[in-house]
Amino acid sequence: MQARTQDITAPFIRKSKYGPEIRERAFDLPEIESLNIRDLFPDTPETIFREGGDISVIRKATEEALKTVNMDMIKEGDTVNLLCSQYGFQLMGGDAYAEVLRATKDVIERRTGCKNIRLRVATGFRIREPEEIIKHYELDKYFNGAARGVTCLDKGVPIETDIGTLYGMAAIYDSDWIVHVHHGELRELDMHRMINRATKPFAMSYARMETRSIAHIGFGPRSENFVQKVIFDSPFVQSKYTFGCFLMTSPAGITGVEADNDLDAVDRRMLLFNIRPYGKIRQILSKIDECIVILDGAGEPRYMLGGGISFGNFTEAELDLFDLNVIPVSLGYNLFEKPAGSTAKSVNPAIKALVINHMWLGVPQMELPGHIPTIVVGREMEEVIERDPMNSMFMDYAVTAENLKAAVKFAKKITGLDKIMVFDGAFGYMHVSPSLAEYLLKVAPEVSREVEEELLPKWLEQRGIDPSSL
């Protein structure tokens, strides 16, 4: 544990119509301190950028990564769509992801002479969020008026695949060429299992609702990866695909940029880079047997980040989801169902109380108040939830506190705990109570040994990788 320095601040929350006004932050509570990820795991990869840092390093990293990418297929008179997803703008304030997009546009123009480069900001939920993103980061101005949002309810385009006709978004593919600009943090491990992670947006962000639902619910964990793969490999998509460019992260922050014409190569590099640091963070979360969680960031609960990892990874932390023999519960079974014979609970039973200080609506999450004593902070946050059609019964199972301090006090009283973890968008640090920090520091060495000697070799062998090659 270390004293906070001036560069450790509460992570940025972008103002949005999908959430309440920004108020008091969990970061500022007297019982919350900052635990450096490297105090837990010194081998966490070095970073080039964290929120509030020098954004020019992102441009330099993007330009360097693109040097080896072939762009010869793009001609001066062609049209190019740069494809991105809403969730990249939730990483460390979103500025780094926005800069990757700007830098990629500039490099394409410089190398090919092509000026007709359009931006497509894709979303699965919160259909007006792309408009907020484009306005906040001034992307419409940078792309000369050619930036627009794309939702899964927009006009579709048929894509013939090896399993039949599936549907992408017409606005995604209405150009001669597409460039896939994405981000490589862990996020929904229960779905992709770090297999074909790089192509996942082709069945989610870039797909019509019908096809998106097939991947998300119809196929479920592991097998849903097949849907995105057949879409990406289809003659239609391959006739337009040029290269992928990925913002890379570790739990400590942004580590660099990867770009390649071969998306499978990017996928493999992402797996080999992420599996150790994120494996250790996930494993140490599994050692927490009881705590209070405070949600206080941008986005829906499942994707809200803390310590560089999403809350959704904590709700299933009792399951080793890097282990391909383990069946996840969560979204693969629609958050309410469980596979026959499963003893796993819908939400990690270690979470004894949940305080919601700030979140955005738009994603179903009834499993939270249905399984965890939940306190919502403030009438405005309550009203945001009550007008969310995806969570119409949420407040039937939750209570409202007048302010954050009262909510935390109540959570402590009903649980008898002082162990608290905050998910507020932080990378590089976990924002936790002193008692939880002390516990995590105590178990970290054994977690590191367990991952290195037992779990990592198993995870790699399951994916056909020789552990000695890492």
Side-chain angles (χ1 to χ4, degrees):
M1 205 73 171
Q2 68 179 53
R4 284 182 179 166
T5 58
Q6 288 185 341
D7 68 328
I8 307 175
T9 58
F12 174 71
I13 298 177
R14 191 176 71 248
K15 185 176 180 180
S16 172
K17 65 184 69 178
Y18 292 102
E21 288 293 321
I22 316 301
R23 305 155 296 167
E24 56 187 334
R25 302 295 302 278
F27 176 88
D28 295 318
L29 290 170
E31 54 263 78
I32 299 300
E33 301 183 18
S34 298
L35 174 61
N36 194 318
I37 296 297
R38 287 203 178 85
D39 287 344
L40 297 172
F41 304 114
D43 61 349
T44 301
E46 291 295 325
T47 62
I48 63 169
F49 179 87
R50 258 192 325 122
E51 186 175 339
D54 178 8
I55 200 68
S56 69
V57 301
I58 299 298
R59 175 167 288 269
K60 292 175 184 176
T62 305
E63 291 173 343
E64 186 65 28
L66 291 174
K67 283 182 178 179
T68 58
V69 169
N70 179 18
M71 301 182 188
D72 291 346
M73 72 289 291
I74 301 173
K75 307 304 180 186
E76 185 174 344
D78 289 346
T79 55
V80 177
N81 283 353
L82 259 60
L83 312 182
C84 67
S85 298
Q86 67 187 118
Y87 293 117
F89 297 96
Q90 292 175 20
L91 300 176
M92 288 164 265
D95 293 312
Y97 191 46
E99 187 64 10
V100 171
L101 292 165
R102 289 189 286 258
T104 301
K105 171 185 179 291
D106 293 344
V107 171
I108 294 172
E109 285 187 355
R110 190 163 60 244
R111 286 180 52 183
T112 70
C114 178
K115 301 293 184 182
N116 198 349
I117 302 173
R118 297 93 64 91
L119 180 68
R120 300 291 186 254
V121 183
T123 179
F125 298 97
R126 296 191 296 274
I127 60 175
R128 292 183 178 86
E129 187 178 345
E131 299 170 10
E132 297 181 344
I133 288 168
I134 290 168
K135 180 179 179 181
H136 178 84
Y137 300 99
E138 299 185 337
L139 294 171
D140 193 50
K141 183 185 300 183
Y142 204 88
F143 282 80
N144 303 311
R148 61 162 290 185
V150 182
T151 82
C152 59
L153 301 176
D154 293 346
K155 180 182 178 181
V157 60
I159 301 175
E160 301 303 325
T161 76
D162 288 341
I163 60 172
T165 305
L166 298 174
Y167 289 85
M169 304 311 306
I172 292 291
Y173 297 105
D174 66 353
S175 60
D176 296 311
W177 305 105
I178 59 173
V179 177
H180 177 40
V181 184
H182 205 56
H183 41 93
E185 87 291 2
L186 190 60
R187 220 169 274 270
E188 62 285 272
L189 181 64
D190 60 312
M191 296 301 287
H192 58 71
R193 314 300 289 276
M194 289 304 295
I195 298 171
N196 292 337
R197 166 76 172 88
T199 55
K200 187 173 186 292
F202 286 88
M204 293 291 183
S205 300
Y206 311 153
R208 264 282 307 187
M209 175 59 80
E210 299 88 345
T211 292
R212 193 180 196 280
S213 298
I214 289 171
H216 225 313
I217 303 301
F219 273 74
R222 292 189 65 186
S223 60
E224 68 103 15
N225 296 319
F226 185 60
V227 179
Q228 63 220 37
K229 187 62 173 166
V230 297
I231 292 174
F232 178 70
D233 287 344
S234 69
F236 175 74
V237 173
Q238 285 300 304
S239 71
K240 294 176 177 290
Y241 169 75
T242 55
F243 62 90
C245 186
F246 277 64
L247 189 66
M248 300 291 286
T249 72
S250 80
I254 292 170
T255 58
V257 177
E258 287 279 352
D260 205 308
N261 298 98
D262 183 350
L263 207 53
D264 288 336
V266 173
D267 196 76
R268 176 55 65 96
R269 293 201 294 268
M270 200 155 49
L271 164 65
L272 296 177
F273 184 77
N274 284 350
I275 198 165
R276 174 180 275 121
Y278 282 111
K280 290 183 179 181
I281 291 293
R282 254 199 133 264
Q283 191 62 13
I284 203 168
L285 291 179
S286 76
K287 304 301 182 183
I288 300 173
D289 59 357
E290 54 181 15
C291 78
I292 297 164
V293 168
I294 302 175
L295 299 180
D296 187 28
E300 62 271 35
R302 182 171 183 76
Y303 289 167
M304 206 171 293
L305 294 151
I309 198 166
S310 65
F311 177 58
N313 277 288
F314 193 29
T315 62
E316 289 190 296
E318 80 277 24
L319 302 173
D320 176 6
L321 295 184
F322 280 108
D323 184 346
L324 298 184
N325 292 323
V326 172
I327 301 174
V329 182
S330 150
L331 280 178
Y333 293 91
N334 208 21
L335 296 171
F336 302 101
E337 305 170 34
K338 291 190 290 185
S342 171
T343 58
K345 299 185 181 299
S346 297
V347 178
N348 182 356
I351 305 171
K352 303 301 184 184
L354 179 65
V355 174
I356 301 177
N357 188 52
H358 194 282
M359 73 172 189
W360 291 346
L361 55 76
V363 176
Q365 48 219 8
M366 281 300 298
E367 80 283 2
L368 297 178
H371 293 87
I372 311 170
T374 300
I375 306 108
V376 173
V377 178
R379 299 300 171 188
E380 189 181 3
M381 186 73 256
E382 177 186 352
E383 290 169 3
V384 166
I385 294 172
E386 285 186 330
R387 67 174 183 260
D388 185 357
M390 290 194 178
N391 296 283
S392 60
M393 298 174 63
F394 194 102
M395 291 310 303
D396 292 348
Y397 296 87
V399 298
T400 304
E402 287 299 320
N403 55 62
L404 179 57
K405 291 180 181 178
V408 173
K409 184 176 181 180
F410 183 62
K412 287 181 174 181
K413 182 175 182 179
I414 64 174
T415 63
L417 299 175
D418 62 0
K419 290 181 179 176
I420 303 172
M421 183 169 184
V422 180
F423 288 84
D424 58 1
F427 275 74
Y429 294 86
M430 286 184 173
H431 294 148
V432 294
S433 61
S435 58
L436 184 54
E438 181 180 358
Y439 173 75
L440 294 173
L441 288 166
K442 179 181 178 181
V443 301
E446 173 56 22
V447 166
S448 187
R449 184 210 62 78
E450 184 180 11
V451 170
E452 293 289 350
E453 298 179 10
E454 300 172 20
L455 299 176
L456 188 58
K458 175 175 66 175
W459 298 336
L460 292 171
E461 287 171 357
Q462 287 176 334
R463 291 162 174 82
I465 300 170
D466 180 357
S468 66
S469 67
L470 190 61

